[in-house]
Amino acid sequence: MNFTEAVLKQRKVLLFVLIAIVFGGVAAFFKMGKLEDAEISVKSALVITQYPGASPHEVELRVTEILETAIQSMDNILNIESRSMAGYSEITVNVSKKVRTNELPQLWDILRRKVNDIKRALPQGASDPMVVDDFGDVYGIFLALSGDGYSEEEIQDYARYMKRELLLVDGVKRINLFGEQETCINVELSQEKLAYLGIHPAHVIQILNQQNSMVNPGSLKVGGDRVRIASDGSFHELADLKNILISANGQNPVFLKDIAEVRESYVRPFSRKMKYNQTPAIGLAIAMDKGGNVIELGKKVQLRIGELKKNVPVGININRVFYQPERVSIAIDQFMVNLIESVLIVVFVLLLAMGFRTGLLIGSGLIFTILGTFIIMLSMDITLQRVSLAAIIISMGMLVDNAIVIADGILVDLKKGVKRSEAMSRTSKQTAMPLLGATVVAILAFLPIYLSPDSTGEFCTSLFQVVAISLFLSWILALTQTPYFCDLFLKGKKYEKQESEEEQVDPYAGRFYQMFRNFIKYSLRHKTMILTVTLLMFLSAVLLFKNVKQLFMPNLEYNQFIVEYWLPEGSDIETVENELSGLETYLLDQEEVLNVTTSIGSTPARYTLVRPFTNRNSNYGELVVDTKDYETTVKFGAELQTYLDENYPWVRARVRYYSPISTEAMIEAKFSGPDPKVLRELSEKAERIMEEEPLAIKVTNNWKNQVKVWNPRFSQAQSRITGINRSDVSNALASATNGLAIGVFRKADDILPIYLKTTTDEDKYVEALENTPVWGTKDHSIPLRQVVSGIEINFEDPVIKRYNRRRAIKAQCDPAPGYNAPDVFNKIRDKVEAIPLPDAYDLEWLGEHKNSADANENINKFLPLAFLLMVIIIMMLFNNFRQPIIILIVLPLALIGVSYGLWITGKPFGFIPVLGTLGLMGMMIKNSVVLLDQINLEIKAGKQVLTAIIDSAVSRMRPVIMASFTTILGMIPLIPDELFGGMAVAIMFGLLLGSIITLIVVPVLYAVFYRVNTKNVMEL
């Protein structure tokens, strides 16, 4: 008794299971997690250290180098990148892709211990290093709270209120605010009054610190109680600060307000700022708990915001900058429409080809398989998103393949007059193992992407998982549900042998079958010609493939794009704000633009993993531009890039779209070595090559331009005479510029820094700076120019970047409109690599080339394993060498359809079409396995080998053609999709020609390998 017979004897149980699959699948669909794109864990952390007053090179050598040495000793480190700026060190620790996400917290703890152990080696004045391990968190809901007519402080208060309340919403993991302006207390001293009253600034600082310090005064015993003594000496009101007694000498006491203007203000220059449609705004970035349903979270957040609006005054607006719940809902609805269209197309094809009842019962198996897949996806925490839904559509044709084979065999047996009970199980008994082997082989075709450890592999992990689940379910249902439904519905004279019919009924007597039989005979008679034509087609496809566009990852269909705006290094952040203001006005006047969100200083939040991210830079700003639809995004984005190039030539402004894998620049040549000067020279040579290439635009390097440095040369000789040391000079200059931090002011729940400043006439700023009063140990000040030996204007590198503890600079460019990165890379590669490199200097290509090479390398790394497993399974099925070799010979022929299909449609070949090609090969192996198995069965039944070859090809023709056409037509809804369109075309054209190759070339190769005499084949 085989598996099918055993199940058919438990029909009630089978019916109950099928009903449970229907209801469970529907429930699972609504309950399972839903996202727009597959989750990718960013396995990176930042180590940030402040070293005020130090130059970039001092920061590099005294801070970054020390920390990198300690971090490098950790296990599982992929690479370490760092940038050292004036007073600031930032190290990015990238963890090996082999480390699982649940192991990251332990790794970050080790990182903290390493950093904590080495911090004592850092120079005096450097802050304690801060480890930021939530750097990769994705904030799927990004809102902008704005209010025209409201002060920045009021907007910030309402933003904090919203944050506090929304954190209580179930499913919210974290909320960050972006664009808050840091409030401070400025104490602006009057130099004239200080000199007149003979008050030393150090005395003022000392009094402020003493008055503001917290000291425990102890407790006292009162009877049997112990009572704490309160010490409330800190400042709570600005008036408290103003009325601090500075000096009581003489008849008139001197208060702080007598010698300084004390006022609450904002820290300037600001570090980050945000606007929404030119109105000051605060960004609320909301992160969801892992594995949650972002659509449900969006409903909860929106409901809570609706309740909170009652407590917020009119005019305070909460705008959606990036609202993943809405995007996920739209994306899933769109893919569900595509899925339904694919199902309907498949069922319609089956109805036409196999009859109404047979088509419906095979189509019902497809529905059961999809619903069962939803149940298992829910149990395995596989979310419903772009990749997993596409996987269902991709496997659509393969899902009905097993059912078609079983149903077709049952129909043939019924027509031949085989006993009904035997007919229901005979085909499954014969084909169960070949179908299982072929199904596993089709699944294994996607195994390399599942095993790939990089981010691309992680992005496409659910592709393998869903294909494996759905195909294995389709095999089980083909052996159980299909015979059961065939027995239920295939009743009547049409499906039974009639008494009037001949004893032996030929189910393949139809005209189409006879035409195909004659063509197979002709092919077998002219084996050499058929194989030669096939070989020529393969060679032409290989040559044609050179003309197919290459693109690693396409852009995603968002009705939003980003404008990156880089002023030259050394530019003031307020200049960035002013210039962006004009660009905002221009954009909001365009009818294609709906909203413009401006962030200055950095990217506002990682609200999606498919967007470029820029950390702190004072010369950087970006615009997030909303348009009507994706077509408008592409069209207007190109027009805007032209406008920017023509009207902002001094700026590096780029229009960037959302892509699954993005880099700082599309083409990057990284030079590594010890000497910054040599590195710049090498980069300049590479940049000249890029500039001379017409296809390359936006040529630059990641160290940017050198910047001016105002350098007062401290004199040791003058120091001994005047009693003024280096720190006195630094304190005086800090007071005259950004302000000298001298304490804190507690205002309600906030702790505001107190900055000591000296007033300076902006019209004579540099001249006044040279005469800045410097106070030392004496009671009077000395002008700065009398303390220093001279004042110079020097140039320095604004940032020193390192890669794996070596200084590294990247020459960068992008492809011109209409071209892809490989087009430019192939043009400049040889020229750049021809640049002579001194000893100890290296060149490495990064950008899209490295991402593509790494992704393909990781796939190729595991491709032999998948291939070996396929061969083992095929060997187990046939237990010989010749038939597996036939299958392996046919396999490369899949390239014929792929190459011609992509060339005809103009779709690019990249990472996703590679996956489609792997899947296509799995389908071709599956069809070949079933065909060869049928030949073996026919020979075992006593037929001559040549007759068995012909009859097997004819009998397998309908199942192969039906499975192929259902797959091909089911792919139609995916063709317009930017991400999966190329893969759909590769599978459609590849399978179209692959099916023909399977039905014709495989029989011919069988005849060749087994030396079958085909001279008299036309007489059969």
Side-chain angles (χ1 to χ4, degrees):
M1 182 184 298
N2 67 6
F3 179 59
T4 301
E5 288 177 336
V7 171
L8 289 178
K9 289 187 176 181
Q10 302 290 332
R11 292 171 180 249
K12 298 279 175 57
V13 176
L14 177 59
L15 180 61
F16 174 78
V17 171
L18 294 175
I19 293 172
I21 288 175
V22 172
F23 286 99
V26 173
F29 172 76
F30 289 103
K31 192 175 181 181
M32 64 199 309
K34 295 180 177 66
L35 296 170
E36 184 176 17
D37 291 296
E39 290 182 317
I40 305 176
S41 56
V42 179
K43 298 174 182 177
S44 302
L46 297 181
V47 180
I48 297 173
T49 311
Q50 306 281 351
Y51 186 23
S55 69
H57 282 283
E58 288 176 322
V59 170
E60 178 202 17
L61 298 176
R62 298 184 182 182
V63 177
T64 306
E65 167 69 22
I66 293 171
L67 290 172
E68 283 182 340
T69 303
I71 295 169
Q72 191 73 50
S73 64
M74 290 176 59
D75 294 329
N76 297 312
I77 297 297
L78 178 64
N79 57 60
I80 298 174
E81 299 177 81
S82 68
R83 58 175 186 152
S84 303
M85 306 165 67
Y88 178 81
S89 168
E90 179 184 284
I91 302 172
T92 303
V93 183
N94 298 309
V95 176
S96 171
K97 305 300 181 183
K98 295 181 292 185
V99 176
R100 297 183 179 275
T101 303
N102 59 2
E103 297 173 348
L104 287 177
Q106 182 180 0
L107 199 63
W108 300 147
D109 286 341
I110 296 173
L111 174 62
R112 283 191 174 86
R113 289 202 296 271
K114 293 284 186 182
V115 170
N116 188 62
D117 290 344
I118 201 66
K119 70 180 182 182
R120 67 190 66 180
L122 297 180
Q124 185 179 4
S127 67
D128 287 343
M130 179 174 63
V131 177
V132 182
D133 61 2
D134 60 353
F135 172 67
D137 281 359
V138 178
Y139 300 85
I141 299 176
F142 185 48
L143 309 173
L145 192 146
S146 63
D148 196 7
Y150 288 86
S151 67
E152 291 182 342
E153 185 176 5
E154 289 174 316
I155 296 174
Q156 288 180 178
D157 288 342
Y158 289 121
R160 291 172 184 174
Y161 166 71
M162 298 294 290
K163 173 183 177 179
R164 187 168 59 248
E165 295 298 325
L166 291 176
L167 275 171
L168 301 176
V169 174
D170 184 37
V172 172
K173 175 184 177 182
R174 181 184 290 107
I175 298 180
N176 279 350
L177 300 182
F178 178 87
E180 282 188 294
Q181 298 303 294
E182 186 180 0
T183 310
C184 67
I185 303 298
N186 284 332
V187 178
E188 297 183 358
L189 294 173
S190 169
Q191 296 288 353
E192 292 79 7
K193 292 181 179 179
L194 288 177
Y196 176 74
L197 296 172
I199 298 176
H200 198 294
H203 180 62
V204 177
I205 297 172
Q206 181 183 11
I207 291 176
L208 287 173
N209 286 330
Q210 288 175 347
Q211 285 291 112
N212 204 27
S213 62
M214 298 293 289
V215 179
N216 182 11
S219 61
L220 57 90
K221 184 178 179 181
V222 179
D225 298 329
R226 173 66 64 177
V227 180
R228 184 181 70 85
I229 301 175
S231 174
D232 189 13
S234 59
F235 310 122
H236 295 286
E237 299 292 337
L238 207 56
D240 298 338
L241 190 59
K242 292 179 180 179
N243 291 316
I244 285 183
L245 184 64
I246 300 298
S247 173
N249 295 331
Q251 297 296 322
N252 298 318
V254 178
F255 299 96
L256 181 61
K257 62 184 178 182
D258 297 327
I259 59 172
E261 182 180 350
V262 182
R263 56 190 175 88
E264 186 175 338
S265 184
Y266 293 111
V267 175
R268 289 294 180 264
F270 62 85
S271 59
R272 300 192 296 184
K273 186 178 282 192
M274 180 173 167
K275 295 180 182 178
Y276 186 83
N277 289 342
Q278 295 188 303
T279 303
I282 299 295
L284 285 86
I286 304 175
M288 179 182 69
D289 285 332
K290 186 174 178 61
N293 187 329
V294 74
I295 296 178
E296 292 301 318
L297 178 66
K299 292 177 182 178
K300 295 176 183 177
V301 169
Q302 201 58 40
L303 178 64
R304 186 58 182 146
I305 287 176
E307 296 170 350
L308 295 175
K309 278 186 176 179
K310 300 174 184 177
N311 302 324
V312 176
V314 176
I316 295 291
N317 302 311
I318 302 173
N319 313 285
R320 295 179 179 180
V321 179
F322 189 91
Y323 199 69
Q324 196 179 81
E326 183 179 36
R327 293 180 180 273
V328 169
S329 181
I330 293 172
I332 289 181
D333 288 346
Q334 181 181 347
F335 261 96
M336 289 307 297
V337 169
N338 291 344
L339 181 60
I340 293 170
E341 287 176 353
S342 297
V343 171
L344 293 177
I345 289 171
V346 169
V347 172
F348 180 71
V349 172
L350 293 171
L351 293 177
L352 288 180
M354 303 195 71
F356 184 77
R357 292 188 187 181
T358 310
L360 279 183
L361 70 88
I362 295 176
S364 66
L366 178 61
I367 303 299
F368 282 119
T369 302
I370 293 173
L371 292 175
T373 301
F374 286 156
I375 295 173
I376 299 177
M377 286 174 65
L378 176 64
S379 66
M380 294 178 62
D381 289 329
I382 301 173
T383 56
L384 204 61
Q385 28 75 11
R386 191 190 308 270
V387 176
S388 57
L389 277 169
I392 297 175
I393 298 175
I394 290 165
S395 56
M396 191 73 64
M398 294 185 283
L399 295 182
V400 298
D401 195 8
N402 292 325
I404 288 174
V405 172
I406 300 296
D408 185 70
I410 291 173
L411 283 171
V412 171
D413 284 346
L414 290 175
K415 199 65 177 174
K416 286 181 176 179
V418 176
K419 188 179 177 181
R420 188 174 188 83
S421 59
E422 183 182 349
M424 294 302 143
S425 60
R426 183 170 174 268
T427 303
S428 64
K429 186 176 182 179
Q430 292 177 341
T431 61
M433 293 313 295
L435 286 179
L436 175 61
T439 299
V440 173
V441 166
I443 293 171
L444 288 174
F446 294 94
L447 180 63
I449 184 58
Y450 178 71
L451 297 177
S452 178
D454 63 357
S455 55
T456 354
E458 191 173 0
F459 182 78
C460 297
T461 292
S462 59
L463 185 67
F464 168 80
Q465 293 173 324
V466 174
V467 167
I469 293 167
S470 58
L471 285 184
F472 189 70
L473 274 179
S474 74
W475 177 76
I476 294 175
L477 290 171
L479 299 182
T480 54
Q481 177 262 338
T482 300
Y484 175 50
F485 274 33
C486 283
D487 194 27
L488 282 179
F489 298 113
L490 300 186
K491 294 180 179 179
K493 297 180 179 180
K494 179 180 178 182
Y495 301 100
E496 297 176 1
K497 177 185 175 183
Q498 303 301 309
E499 294 181 1
S500 59
E501 294 178 335
E502 297 180 4
E503 188 65 27
Q504 293 295 327
V505 176
D506 185 4
Y508 307 112
R511 183 179 177 186
F512 187 75
Y513 282 112
Q514 292 305 312
M515 290 174 60
F516 181 71
R517 178 182 292 272
N518 291 331
F519 188 76
I520 287 293
K521 291 179 181 179
Y522 180 84
S523 300
L524 289 169
R525 181 66 184 83
H526 301 87
K527 299 189 294 292
T528 304
M529 183 190 73
I530 293 295
L531 294 179
T532 302
V533 170
T534 304
L535 180 61
L536 290 174
M537 290 180 64
F538 176 73
L539 293 176
S540 69
V542 172
L543 295 174
L544 183 66
F545 193 76
K546 296 179 180 179
N547 297 321
V548 173
K549 294 180 181 177
Q550 302 291 313
L551 179 63
F552 175 53
M553 276 287 184
N555 298 322
L556 299 180
E557 298 181 12
Y558 279 31
N559 63 328
Q560 190 179 75
F561 64 87
I562 299 161
V563 179
E564 293 182 340
Y565 194 92
W566 292 90
L567 279 176
E569 288 288 337
S571 300
D572 183 60
I573 195 168
E574 293 184 0
T575 306
V576 178
E577 180 182 16
N578 294 335
E579 291 193 8
L580 281 179
S581 180
L583 188 54
E584 290 168 339
T585 302
Y586 169 79
L587 287 171
L588 290 171
D589 287 340
Q590 309 305 307
E591 62 178 13
E592 296 91 344
V593 176
L594 302 179
N595 300 295
V596 177
T597 305
T598 306
S599 59
I600 303 163
S602 72
T603 296
R606 196 188 296 272
Y607 50 79
T608 174
L609 277 172
V610 298
R611 64 146 295 152
F613 193 88
T614 301
N615 280 331
R616 164 186 154 177
N617 279 284
S618 61
N619 61 322
Y620 175 77
E622 70 172 43
L623 307 172
V624 179
V625 183
D626 295 321
T627 60
K628 299 175 182 177
D629 49 44
Y630 177 67
E631 290 73 19
T632 305
T633 294
V634 175
K635 182 176 180 293
F636 180 70
E639 295 173 356
L640 178 61
Q641 185 64 69
T642 303
Y643 173 84
L644 291 170
D645 294 341
E646 292 176 352
N647 295 274
Y648 294 84
W650 64 92
V651 177
R652 187 169 186 267
R654 289 192 300 172
V655 172
R656 301 196 68 179
Y657 305 99
Y658 294 86
S659 174
I661 304 295
S662 62
T663 56
E664 190 176 344
M666 300 290 279
I667 299 102
E668 296 181 331
K670 177 176 71 69
F671 296 95
S672 302
D675 191 341
K677 183 179 179 181
V678 175
L679 288 176
R680 279 198 176 273
E681 290 173 354
L682 293 172
S683 178
E684 287 170 2
K685 292 177 181 178
E687 290 171 55
R688 280 196 294 271
I689 294 171
M690 294 174 178
E691 288 168 348
E692 292 169 359
E693 173 53 53
L695 303 187
I697 60 172
K698 303 296 177 187
V699 178
T700 185
N701 67 74
N702 68 332
W703 284 25
K704 310 304 181 187
N705 56 283
Q706 290 194 317
V707 297
K708 294 189 288 279
V709 179
W710 194 79
N711 184 13
R713 308 288 294 182
F714 181 75
S715 172
Q716 294 292 343
Q718 291 293 99
S719 171
R720 289 190 293 270
I721 297 172
T722 59
I724 290 176
N725 57 39
R726 188 186 299 272
S727 62
D728 295 328
V729 173
S730 297
N731 290 339
L733 288 172
S735 301
T737 53
N738 297 341
L740 178 65
I742 60 172
V744 294
F745 177 82
R746 292 175 175 83
K747 178 185 177 183
D749 295 334
D750 297 327
I751 298 178
L752 311 183
I754 301 175
Y755 288 104
L756 190 69
K757 292 188 174 185
T758 55
T759 55
T760 305
D761 188 353
E762 292 186 3
D763 295 336
K764 299 179 179 179
Y765 187 67
V766 176
E767 181 182 342
L769 211 55
E770 294 177 358
N771 294 305
T772 298
V774 181
W775 295 82
T777 56
K778 299 182 179 180
D779 293 335
H780 61 275
S781 63
I782 298 174
L784 175 66
R785 66 176 183 273
Q786 295 181 15
V787 180
V788 298
S789 59
I791 296 176
E792 301 174 353
I793 299 292
N794 300 326
F795 285 85
E796 71 176 7
D797 293 314
V799 58
I800 306 296
K801 296 202 174 184
R802 294 158 62 101
Y803 188 86
N804 282 341
R805 300 182 58 199
R806 297 185 70 197
R807 288 170 177 155
I809 187 171
K810 291 189 286 189
Q812 303 167 316
C813 68
D814 288 330
Y819 297 92
N820 296 324
D823 301 328
V824 182
F825 178 75
N826 293 331
K827 292 275 189 181
I828 66 172
R829 179 175 187 173
D830 292 340
K831 297 177 183 177
V832 173
E833 291 180 352
I835 297 174
L837 298 177
D839 292 340
Y841 290 84
D842 299 315
L843 166 64
E844 180 185 2
W845 289 102
L846 301 181
E848 186 176 290
H849 171 75
K850 180 172 175 58
N851 285 338
S852 177
D854 287 349
N856 292 330
E857 180 186 348
N858 283 317
I859 287 184
N860 294 333
K861 184 189 303 180
F862 297 101
L863 197 57
L865 173 62
F867 185 73
L868 177 63
L869 294 175
M870 289 181 186
V871 172
I872 290 173
I873 292 172
I874 297 171
M875 292 286 292
M876 291 172 63
L877 289 174
F878 297 110
N879 195 27
N880 61 59
F881 288 103
R882 282 185 280 191
Q883 292 181 23
I885 291 174
I886 291 172
I887 295 174
L888 297 180
I889 290 175
V890 170
L891 211 53
L893 301 181
L895 182 64
I896 298 174
V898 174
S899 183
Y900 277 94
L902 294 174
W903 179 70
I904 291 171
T905 59
K907 292 283 186 179
F909 184 79
F911 185 76
I912 302 297
V914 165
L915 303 184
T917 304
L918 293 176
L920 169 64
M921 291 181 177
M923 299 176 204
M924 289 184 63
I925 291 176
K926 185 176 183 181
N927 288 335
S928 301
V929 166
V930 176
L931 175 55
L932 290 171
D933 182 71
Q934 186 65 33
I935 294 174
N936 294 336
L937 290 174
E938 298 283 357
I939 293 173
K940 285 182 181 178
K943 290 185 179 181
Q944 294 292 328
V945 176
L946 187 57
T947 304
I949 293 173
I950 298 170
D951 289 349
S952 297
V954 173
S955 66
R956 300 310 310 153
M957 190 258 302
R958 183 166 71 167
V960 170
I961 294 296
M962 288 310 307
S964 299
F965 267 85
T966 51
T967 302
I968 291 168
L969 297 176
M971 287 285 164
I972 291 176
L974 279 182
I975 293 177
D977 189 86
E978 285 284 330
L979 187 61
F980 295 104
M983 180 171 65
V985 168
I987 291 176
M988 291 173 70
F989 281 82
L991 199 55
L992 179 63
L993 291 176
S995 301
I996 299 172
I997 289 170
T998 301
L999 292 172
I1000 297 173
V1001 177
V1002 169
V1004 170
L1005 287 173
Y1006 190 96
V1008 171
F1009 271 73
Y1010 284 87
R1011 299 179 181 178
V1012 179
N1013 188 347
T1014 60
K1015 288 183 179 180
N1016 300 321
V1017 67
M1018 301 304 295
E1019 298 175 5
L1020 295 177

